[in-house]
Amino acid sequence: MTSTLRRRPAQRRSVERVERMLDECALLLDEVGYEALTTKEVARRAEVPIGTFYQFFHDKQGLVRALARRNLEAFLQRIIERIPLADLGHWTDLVDLAIDEFVDMKRTTPGFAVVDFGEVLTAPGGPSVEGSKRALDETHENNVVVAERLRALTLELLDAPVGPGLDTALLVAVEATDAVLKLAFRADPGGAPELIAECKLLVRRYLADHLP
Amino acid sequence: MTSTLRRRPAQRRSVERVERMLDECALLLDEVGYEALTTKEVARRAEVPIGTFYQFFHDKQGLVRALARRNLEAFLQRIIERIPLADLGHWTDLVDLAIDEFVDMKRTTPGFAVVDFGEVLTAPGGPSVEGSKRALDETHENNVVVAERLRALTLELLDAPVGPGLDTALLVAVEATDAVLKLAFRADPGGAPELIAECKLLVRRYLADHLP
DNA sequence: ACTGCTACGCGAGTAAGGCTCATGTTAACT
DNA sequence: AGTTAACATGAGCCTTACTCGCGTAGCAGT
């Protein structure tokens, strides 16, 4: 996979069209869910002919992956912007900040409640005997990207020597956070407060083994 | 939703047919993944006419939900059978046992790697202003069922007074476990050992706040 | 055995979606 | 103006989810 996009929009108009398609995709996800999402409707609402849609996206999953990608960028951007303003006395404050920002996006960003930046659907998997073990960083999962960025931020704020297991630990933390917050928003459209609190606790306890 | 099935198979033959459909569904999930799964192919392989397929299952998602349901029963059955044989000195041993059993099913039960017993796909969600807050137990999510059973088992083995927050805590633990193990199996078809180990650690640390 | 009745079995057919491709249009450069 | 290459378009093809009306099997009453 060279890119998540089939063709990278070069001109201004194309960039706007891709952006519009992603916007409408997000809105539709909120309205009808992933299963009922149709490429035709996305194209229609974005006022883009279906043929053009397929110039930019490989397929329906490609569209959703691109949206997840955009959500990922937005999330990281928000984090990076908020860090200098916040008063981070301890690494646990960074955990809280990240989770709060995630929750806020769940509430305010269209489609984010259905597709955030985690994996959307597990791939086919191919014939049952597949290449034994593929390294995590090869897959370029979005959650891997988040984990890496968070690791960099943590190191920056915490110029202490950290063990080599931190990579894995952060990935595990991100994955777990994602899952528990999804649960919190399934239980309550506004995000069940006690589950959000438990999520923070879960991550803090776990990471305490890997950070001072 | 009265049941996950449209019509409950009454006669022996029908029961076998439903079972066969679930079996073939599981095998196909391993072969082609969820997206490419087709009801026609499931029916063809199970040697059941398509019309009959739809007598038992509401739709494609219904089929998969039924499979998840069956997986859930199988998992609980395994746990219950193994508990008397194991030497559970501490509640952490129960955590390990459950995770080990889950891992084993990932490896040996067809389709389990793609659809275990967690939620398969998030539902449409309806118009954006929906009924504020639905209780967790109303949803009858499979992971809620697992959490409840594990709670019962824990109480049985641990006749200590446990706080009221245990319900929530176990649900959070199950959800997190599910996510991290999915990650472990995405990273390595055989289940990345270090991620499985981290998963156990994650759950133990977290639950230590809620159990002695 | 015959007749009516009901519950279940069946698969051709319908509606709709994903995606392509042949043709038309614009841009870029000589 | 002419040539070429890149981009835009939407009718249409193929496949899928799912239905609906007819056929059949079992069975009760006579």
Side-chain angles (χ1 to χ4, degrees):
Chain A
M1 189 199 306
T2 58
S3 160
T4 99
L5 263 60
R6 206 175 212 178
R7 176 158 68 83
R8 178 162 275 264
Q11 297 161 16
R12 169 175 255 276
R13 179 168 163 76
S14 299
V15 176
E16 278 168 9
R17 298 225 276 190
V18 167
E19 220 59 27
R20 272 213 311 281
M21 287 191 268
L22 292 179
D23 290 343
E24 295 302 330
C25 172
L27 292 171
L28 267 170
L29 279 174
D30 277 339
E31 287 173 33
V32 304
Y34 177 82
E35 287 271 87
L37 183 80
T38 68
T39 56
K40 270 190 172 126
E41 184 64 10
V42 170
R44 199 189 61 75
R45 290 223 212 172
E47 294 175 282
V48 168
I50 190 64
T52 302
F53 174 99
Y54 279 98
Q55 289 217 333
F56 293 107
F57 302 107
H58 277 285
D59 51 19
K60 180 178 160 182
Q61 284 205 51
L63 169 69
V64 173
R65 272 203 308 273
L67 178 63
R69 208 66 190 189
R70 194 176 71 166
N71 286 340
L72 170 68
E73 302 299 340
F75 175 73
L76 290 173
Q77 195 58 38
R78 273 162 167 254
I79 297 276
I80 288 169
E81 278 170 10
R82 278 203 56 196
I83 282 179
L85 307 176
D87 174 38
L88 301 177
H90 199 242
W91 61 263
T92 54
D93 296 331
L94 180 57
V95 171
D96 287 359
L97 187 149
I99 292 180
D100 287 338
E101 211 58 53
F102 188 98
V103 166
D104 191 60
M105 282 187 74
K106 278 273 179 196
R107 289 203 252 255
T108 60
T109 304
F112 199 74
V114 180
V115 170
D116 44 54
F117 45 72
E119 287 302 286
V120 179
L121 275 183
T122 55
S128 79
V129 184
E130 71 185 81
S132 55
K133 182 174 186 170
R134 78 199 94 103
L136 276 175
D137 22 328
E138 277 178 32
T139 71
H140 269 291
E141 280 191 31
N142 283 348
N143 281 349
V144 173
V145 177
V146 174
E148 275 169 5
R149 299 283 191 104
L150 287 180
R151 180 174 175 276
L153 290 174
T154 310
L155 289 185
E156 197 175 300
L157 298 174
L158 215 87
D159 40 21
V162 292
L166 186 63
D167 287 18
T168 307
L170 273 174
L171 183 55
V172 167
V174 169
E175 207 73 32
T177 304
D178 198 8
V180 176
L181 289 181
K182 268 181 188 144
L183 172 69
F185 279 85
R186 253 180 282 144
D188 177 354
E194 78 274 22
L195 287 174
I196 293 170
E198 287 299 300
C199 182
K200 289 177 180 174
L201 191 63
L202 173 75
V203 177
R204 279 203 290 254
R205 285 285 180 242
Y206 171 65
L207 288 182
D209 281 353
H210 299 270
L211 288 171
Chain B
M1 189 198 307
T2 58
S3 158
T4 96
L5 261 61
R6 205 175 212 177
R7 176 159 67 83
R8 178 160 275 264
Q11 296 161 14
R12 171 177 257 277
R13 179 169 161 77
S14 300
V15 176
E16 279 168 8
R17 298 225 276 191
V18 168
E19 220 59 26
R20 272 213 312 281
M21 287 190 268
L22 292 178
D23 290 342
E24 294 303 330
C25 172
L27 292 172
L28 267 170
L29 280 173
D30 277 339
E31 286 174 33
V32 304
Y34 176 81
E35 287 271 87
L37 183 79
T38 69
T39 56
K40 264 192 176 125
E41 184 63 11
V42 170
R44 199 188 61 77
R45 290 222 212 172
E47 293 175 284
V48 167
I50 190 66
T52 302
F53 174 99
Y54 280 98
Q55 288 215 331
F56 294 105
F57 302 106
H58 278 286
D59 50 19
K60 180 177 160 181
Q61 284 206 49
L63 168 70
V64 173
R65 272 203 308 273
L67 178 64
R69 207 66 190 188
R70 194 176 71 166
N71 285 341
L72 171 67
E73 302 299 340
F75 175 72
L76 290 173
Q77 195 58 39
R78 274 163 168 252
I79 298 276
I80 288 169
E81 278 170 11
R82 278 203 56 194
I83 283 179
L85 306 176
D87 175 38
L88 300 177
H90 199 242
W91 62 263
T92 53
D93 296 331
L94 180 57
V95 171
D96 286 359
L97 187 149
I99 292 180
D100 286 339
E101 211 59 53
F102 188 98
V103 167
D104 191 59
M105 282 187 74
K106 279 275 178 194
R107 291 203 251 255
T108 60
T109 303
F112 199 76
V114 179
V115 170
D116 45 54
F117 46 72
E119 288 302 285
V120 179
L121 274 183
T122 56
S128 79
V129 184
E130 70 185 80
S132 56
K133 181 174 185 170
R134 77 200 93 104
L136 276 176
D137 22 328
E138 278 177 30
T139 70
H140 269 292
E141 280 191 31
N142 283 347
N143 281 349
V144 174
V145 177
V146 174
E148 276 169 6
R149 301 283 191 103
L150 287 180
R151 181 174 175 275
L153 290 174
T154 311
L155 289 185
E156 198 175 299
L157 297 173
L158 215 86
D159 40 21
V162 291
L166 186 63
D167 288 17
T168 307
L170 273 174
L171 183 55
V172 167
V174 169
E175 207 72 33
T177 304
D178 198 7
V180 176
L181 289 182
K182 269 182 188 142
L183 172 69
F185 278 85
R186 253 179 283 144
D188 176 356
E194 78 275 19
L195 287 174
I196 293 170
E198 287 298 301
C199 182
K200 290 178 180 174
L201 190 63
L202 172 76
V203 177
R204 280 204 289 256
R205 284 283 181 244
Y206 171 64
L207 287 183
D209 281 354
H210 299 270
L211 289 171

